[in-house]
């Protein structure tokens, strides 16, 4: 019982006391018998260092096997005790002025917090040394009594200061969404989330490792009445992106205190962190009397268990360092004329997403959001190098502090060989409409640029001046060969005004004297992306790219994902590549401090039909150009020569692997 009382004091008071008197002999003795390998206090079993400590009868309750070398953080030394509940009131140590639970204090009179303070009380030199450091002057016995309360005030102020810093850090790191919680959303609907490894561009996407259910971590213990911050071990029950559902060790099948947290947060640590950082491990109040030997319990439960890598927090920090800086100049697509680029300046960087302000915008409101790996941004001079249209800025020289982003920062495209058979103007294909990402449309190659870039126009919706042509690279996953939609059971959007329905490519090519772009020129690689239908994620609304929304994968066609925004109608869905930098794991917004848009409420859903009709009408009025009646000869080799067919795609299912999904049909 005596050891239990002393342990409670050290859990309650020792971290703060050590902050002020770390240089004293008292501190030296404490440091020699500080904590066991769990970060739990040994309890100061002995009255002096020369006498042997009396072992608790609970210590020999179970024999625990030694831990494997892969998990060296647990050692079988020291005794672990639970702490008192504090119902018997508080007391103040007459030696050091510390305040703690009265029952935990040493001696019958409860005058001292520990054996050390009791012994030190009779030594004027030790007493003077402590108070001199605290008061800045030679102490007397009288001054010790007079300065007791100011010392307590200092300790309390320090604890409050630490709590304030922690609250500020939490406020800065997370952007809460009122009324929405990913944890509640997933639990209440039994959803699954796409794993972090699906997002190579996201923090920890390439070094997530074996983090999975069952991994143990050290987290703050919120089921505790102590005023100081203490920790306990918890296991991952469920993973949802960066978010983990945790259960405190010792609760077994009891989920009453399960809680969600971001595994990359600052309060999540590998097992052993408390021991190395001098933080106390205290079992939750709900189960504190469940076991009498917590040490044996933890060693038994943690033997063979996995935890986070020791450098996990460092890896998180490194993966959230972004090379793009504010004031960098880039070339980015002109959102009012898709066929050209403009100079823009990086205004802010959040989680790798860039807020770009067009250089001519005086009030900095004319902006554009995209990820730093987006194919829509390029280094200064890119447009001229490939022959792309470019809007010259009225600003004749760089503004002070602005500088060109180095070319190596931008995403590299795959090199192509355009010397042999290549795309030609007038060739037909299928492409995602950049102004209506829910549709894959009949399209035409309007211009062939350098380095494998193509200007693509959507048939039947093109402006006369070509201002709505869009630049795709030949390896882009957003362009497809003729027949892709049909073979994969995707609705193909025919040219506006085309009356011969249902649309047939063979008839259309003959009517327009056009040829289809050869299948072998398209990107046929399908990575092992790991997505499944129904997975939750956070996705950018590419029609309003400043918004990141709660979303679901509803279809998978090879590497193409159909993204549905929860709470909105299907017509707002968007086709996105599996490696798009505009897709993020659950919890990305919280981790990076970006604002997450929750599912639309019922009131918004009711108004969707009318608003979507207005948007569609506005879109149709945007295109004023006449349909170009090109008379390109239908080459006979397409009809009589080489023919291509497609491997049947697996609709609405995952299709991973690098196998091609277009093959040449042998005669």
């Amino acid at each position: 019982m005596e050891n239990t009382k002393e342990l409670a004091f050290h859990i309650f008071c020792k971290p703060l006391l050590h902050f002020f008197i770390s240089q004293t002999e008292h501190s030296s003795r404490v440091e020699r018998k500080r904590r066991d390998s769990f970060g739990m206090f040994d309890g100061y079993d002995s009255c002096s260092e020369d006498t042997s400590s009396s072992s608790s009868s609970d210590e020999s309750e179970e024999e625990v096997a030694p831990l494997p070398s892969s998990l060296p953080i647990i050692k079988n030394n020291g005794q672990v005790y639970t702490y008192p509940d504090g119902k018997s009131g508080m007391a103040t140590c007459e030696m050091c002025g510390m305040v703690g639970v009265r029952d935990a204090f040493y001696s019958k009179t409860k005058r001292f917090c520990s054996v050390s303070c009791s012994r030190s009380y009779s030594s004027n030199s030790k007493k003077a040394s402590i108070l001199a450091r605290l008061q800045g002057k030679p102490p007397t016995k009288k001054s010790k009594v007079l300065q007791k309360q100011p010392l307590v005030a200092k300790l309390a102020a320090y604890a409050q200061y630490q709590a304030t810093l922690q609250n500020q850090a939490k406020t800065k790191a997370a952007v809460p969404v009122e009324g929405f919680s990913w944890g509640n959303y997933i639990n209440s609907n039994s959803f699954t989330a796409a794993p972090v490894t699906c997002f190579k561009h996201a923090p920890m996407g390439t070094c997530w490792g074996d983090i999975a259910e069952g991994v143990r971590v050290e987290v703050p213990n919120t089921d505790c009445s102590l005023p100081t911050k203490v920790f306990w071990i918890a296991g991952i029950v469920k993973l949802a992106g960066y978010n983990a559902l945790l259960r405190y060790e010792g609760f077994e099948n009891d989920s009453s205190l399960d809680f969600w947290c971001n595994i990359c947060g600052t309060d999540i640590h590998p097992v052993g962190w408390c021991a190395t950082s001098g933080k106390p491990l205290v079992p939750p109040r709900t189960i504190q009397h469940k076991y009498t030997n917590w040490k044996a319990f933890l060693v038994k439960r943690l033997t063979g268990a996995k935890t986070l890598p020791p450098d996990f927090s460092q890896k998180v920090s490194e993966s959230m360092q972004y090379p793009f800086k504010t004031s960098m100049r880039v070339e980015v697509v002109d959102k009012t004329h898709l066929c050209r680029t403009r100079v823009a300046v990086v205004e802010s960087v959040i989680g790798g997403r860039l807020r770009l302000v067009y250089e001519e915008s005086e009030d900095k409101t004319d902006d554009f959001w995209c990820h730093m790996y987006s194919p829509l941004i390029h280094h200064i001079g890119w447009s001229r190098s490939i022959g792309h249209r470019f809007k010259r800025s009225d600003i004749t020289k760089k503004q002070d502090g602005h500088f060109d982003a180095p070319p190596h920062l931008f995403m590299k495209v795959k090199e192509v060989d355009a010397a042999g058979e290549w795309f030609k103007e007038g060739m037909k294909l299928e492409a995602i409409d950049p102004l209506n990402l829910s549709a894959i449309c009949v399209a035409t190659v309007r211009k062939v640029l350098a380095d494998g870039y193509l200007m693509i126009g959507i048939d039947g919706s093109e402006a006369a001046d070509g201002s709505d042509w869009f630049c795709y690279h030949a390896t882009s996953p957003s362009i497809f060969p003729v027949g892709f939609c049909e073979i994969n059971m995707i609705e193909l959007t025919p040219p506006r005004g085309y009356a011969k329905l249902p649309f047939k490519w063979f008839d259309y090519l003959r009517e327009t004297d056009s040829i289809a772009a050869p299948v072998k020129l398209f990107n046929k690689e399908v990575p092992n992306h790991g997505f499944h239908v129904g997975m939750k994620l956070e996705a950018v609304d590419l029609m309003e790219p400043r918004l990141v929304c709660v979303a679901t994968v509803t279809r998978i066609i090879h590497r193409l994902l159909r993204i549905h925004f929860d709470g909105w109608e299907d017509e707002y869905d968007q086709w996105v590549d599996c490696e798009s930098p505009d897709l993020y794991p659950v919890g990305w917004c919280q981790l990076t401090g970006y604002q997450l848009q929750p599912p639309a409420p019922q009131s918004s859903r009711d108004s969707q039909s009318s608003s979507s009709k207005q948007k569609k009408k506005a879109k149709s009025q945007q295109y004023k150009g006449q349909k170009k009646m090109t008379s390109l000869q239908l080459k006979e080799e397409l009809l009589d020569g080489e023919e291509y067919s497609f491997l049947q795609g697996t609709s609405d299912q995952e299709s991973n692997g690098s196998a091609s999904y277009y093959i040449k049909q042998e005669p």
Side-chain angles (χ1 to χ4, degrees):
M1 180 63 184
E2 180 179 332
N3 291 334
T4 305
K5 294 176 181 178
E6 290 187 7
L7 171 66
F9 161 74
H10 290 289
I11 292 178
F12 178 80
C13 300
K14 201 264 180 184
L16 294 181
L17 178 63
H18 180 62
F19 177 81
F20 286 101
I21 56 175
S22 59
Q23 304 299 320
T24 63
E25 286 187 28
H26 173 73
S27 174
S28 299
R29 182 177 300 174
V30 171
E31 291 302 314
R32 286 195 297 270
K33 301 190 57 155
R34 191 174 183 181
R35 307 169 191 265
D36 66 9
S37 58
F38 287 110
M40 287 184 151
F41 291 96
D42 290 337
Y44 292 85
D45 297 31
S46 61
C47 293
S48 67
E49 296 184 59
D50 298 328
T51 60
S52 60
S53 62
S54 57
S55 61
S56 169
S57 60
D58 298 326
E59 196 168 16
S60 59
E61 287 181 357
E62 331 180 43
E63 292 294 329
V64 181
L67 295 181
S69 58
S70 60
L71 193 62
I73 52 178
I74 303 173
K75 299 178 182 178
N76 192 13
N77 63 352
Q79 178 62 46
V80 179
Y81 302 95
T82 58
Y83 61 92
D85 57 14
K87 293 181 179 179
S88 300
M90 310 297 287
T92 303
C93 179
E94 293 186 13
M95 175 58 200
C96 65
M98 296 299 299
V99 178
V101 179
R102 181 177 178 81
D103 280 349
F105 272 43
Y106 178 73
S107 80
K108 294 181 180 180
T109 59
K110 310 300 181 186
R111 296 172 59 194
F112 307 105
C113 64
S114 66
V115 177
S116 299
C117 281
S118 177
R119 287 177 166 272
S120 298
Y121 185 78
S122 60
S123 173
N124 290 332
S125 60
K126 293 181 180 179
K127 178 171 60 180
S129 175
I130 294 173
L131 295 177
R133 283 167 172 78
L134 294 173
Q135 301 172 16
K137 58 181 179 180
T140 63
K141 185 174 182 180
K142 182 177 181 181
S143 69
K144 174 191 73 62
V145 179
L146 293 177
Q147 294 297 324
K148 185 189 307 179
Q149 293 305 323
L151 172 60
V152 175
K154 288 181 181 179
L155 296 173
Y158 175 71
Q160 181 63 35
Y161 169 71
Q162 292 289 80
T164 302
L165 289 181
Q166 292 166 4
N167 290 336
Q168 289 175 349
K170 290 179 181 178
T171 302
K172 183 177 181 180
V175 180
V177 179
E178 185 177 356
F180 179 77
S181 164
W182 262 121
N184 294 338
Y185 192 58
I186 289 175
N187 277 346
S188 60
N189 298 280
S190 300
F191 291 140
T192 58
V196 174
T197 52
C198 290
F199 310 88
K200 306 303 182 185
H201 57 280
M204 301 298 293
T206 58
C207 53
W208 190 246
D210 296 329
I211 299 176
E213 296 177 6
V215 168
R216 306 303 208 284
V217 292
E218 292 180 353
V219 295
N221 178 6
T222 58
D223 182 28
C224 178
S225 58
L226 297 177
T228 55
K229 189 174 184 178
V230 295
F231 294 78
W232 189 240
I233 296 172
I236 297 178
V237 178
K238 185 175 183 178
L239 264 181
Y242 294 117
N243 293 346
L245 180 63
L246 299 181
R247 180 174 300 168
Y248 288 122
E249 204 64 57
F251 274 78
E252 308 300 339
N253 296 323
D254 182 3
S255 61
S256 59
L257 289 184
D258 289 2
F259 60 98
W260 286 90
C261 69
N262 195 304
I263 206 71
C264 295
T266 57
D267 273 338
I268 311 299
H269 308 281
V271 173
W273 177 84
C274 284
T276 58
S277 303
K279 303 294 182 181
L281 274 176
V282 178
R285 178 173 50 185
T286 303
I287 59 170
Q288 65 179 9
H289 300 299
K290 189 174 180 180
Y291 299 95
T292 56
N293 190 342
W294 283 102
K295 173 59 183 274
F297 167 79
L298 287 180
V299 172
K300 181 179 179 181
R301 291 300 298 269
L302 297 179
T303 299
K306 292 183 178 181
T307 187
L308 300 178
D311 60 345
F312 183 75
S313 60
Q314 180 182 348
K315 288 183 177 179
V316 172
S317 178
E318 291 174 353
S319 66
M320 295 181 66
Q321 302 299 315
Y322 308 107
F324 281 86
K325 308 300 179 184
T326 56
S327 300
M328 281 186 173
R329 299 170 75 242
V330 300
E331 288 185 7
V332 64
V333 64
D334 186 345
K335 62 182 181 181
T336 60
H337 294 81
L338 301 182
C339 66
R340 68 187 184 190
T341 57
R342 296 171 61 183
V343 174
V345 179
V346 177
E347 181 67 20
S348 60
V349 183
I350 304 178
R353 292 195 64 78
L354 312 178
R355 179 178 179 259
L356 304 173
V357 176
Y358 290 114
E359 198 170 46
E360 295 173 321
S361 176
E362 297 181 358
D363 57 359
K364 296 186 177 182
T365 58
D366 190 8
D367 61 358
F368 184 82
W369 281 91
C370 67
H371 193 271
M372 62 182 183
Y373 294 148
S374 170
L376 302 178
I377 61 170
H378 311 275
H379 62 86
I380 298 296
W382 172 84
S383 297
R384 175 183 295 180
S385 67
I386 69 162
H388 194 282
R389 291 174 64 178
F390 175 77
K391 181 185 178 183
R392 296 187 178 277
S393 174
D394 295 336
I395 301 176
T396 56
K397 62 178 181 179
K398 299 178 186 177
Q399 298 183 13
D400 293 339
H402 292 178
F403 58 102
D404 296 349
H408 71 270
L409 299 185
F410 298 86
M411 195 68 176
K412 300 295 187 294
V413 294
K414 184 178 179 180
E415 294 185 2
V416 295
D417 181 14
E421 188 176 8
W422 193 240
F423 290 95
K424 295 181 175 61
E425 291 184 15
M427 282 184 172
K428 298 296 182 181
L429 67 162
E430 298 174 4
I432 297 176
D433 184 351
L435 293 177
N436 181 16
L437 296 168
S438 65
I440 299 180
C441 306
V442 175
T444 303
V445 176
R446 291 304 180 191
K447 189 176 181 181
V448 179
L449 308 178
D451 296 340
Y453 287 96
L454 311 169
M455 296 303 296
I456 305 296
I458 304 299
D459 285 21
S461 301
E462 298 177 67
D465 58 357
S467 60
D468 54 358
W469 295 352
F470 195 77
C471 184
Y472 280 124
H473 193 265
T475 60
S476 170
S478 297
I479 59 174
F480 316 96
V482 164
F484 173 83
C485 285
E486 180 181 1
I487 204 68
N488 289 290
M489 294 178 289
I490 302 174
E491 182 181 357
L492 177 66
T493 302
R496 182 172 300 155
Y498 187 73
K500 193 175 180 180
L501 299 177
F503 178 85
K504 299 294 184 182
W505 263 116
F506 185 86
D507 294 338
Y508 185 70
L509 292 174
R510 184 175 54 188
E511 292 168 5
T512 57
D513 286 337
S514 307
I515 62 170
V519 175
K520 63 183 179 182
L521 300 182
F522 293 85
N523 180 9
K524 297 177 284 294
E525 295 180 359
V526 181
N528 187 16
H529 49 69
F531 286 101
H532 296 274
V533 171
M535 282 183 169
K536 297 293 179 182
L537 68 163
E538 298 176 3
V540 175
D541 180 357
L542 294 172
M543 302 310 295
E544 189 66 45
R546 64 184 178 85
L547 303 180
V548 178
C549 311
V550 174
T552 307
V553 178
T554 57
R555 286 195 71 182
I556 300 176
I557 308 297
H558 306 294
R559 64 179 299 148
L560 197 61
L561 309 180
R562 180 81 170 182
I563 302 299
H564 173 76
F565 297 104
D566 290 19
W568 296 90
E569 293 183 353
D570 294 347
E571 62 190 79
Y572 291 95
D573 291 1
Q574 296 178 3
W575 288 107
V576 181
D577 182 61
C578 64
E579 294 183 343
S580 168
D582 294 306
L583 303 178
Y584 307 102
V586 166
W588 178 85
C589 282
Q590 181 187 14
L591 177 64
T592 61
Y594 205 96
Q595 181 67 55
L596 176 66
Q597 302 298 315
Q602 185 63 42
S603 57
S604 298
R605 300 178 197 177
D606 294 339
S607 61
Q608 285 180 40
S609 298
S610 58
S611 62
S612 62
K613 290 178 181 178
Q614 292 176 357
K615 287 184 178 180
K616 286 183 177 180
K617 183 178 180 181
K619 183 180 185 299
S620 65
Q621 293 174 346
Q622 182 177 350
Y623 302 97
K624 300 297 184 181
Q626 299 293 326
K627 178 180 178 181
K628 290 188 177 180
M629 301 300 293
T630 55
S631 299
L632 300 178
Q633 184 178 2
L634 183 61
K635 292 190 176 180
E636 292 184 357
E637 57 260 33
L638 177 65
L639 301 177
D640 303 327
E642 295 181 342
E643 295 182 357
Y644 289 86
S645 63
F646 304 88
L647 285 179
Q648 179 66 40
T650 305
S651 191
D652 296 333
Q653 297 180 9
E654 177 191 13
S655 177
N656 291 342
S658 58
S660 301
Y661 51 92
Y662 316 113
I663 59 171
K664 180 177 179 180
Q665 180 177 343
E666 297 297 336

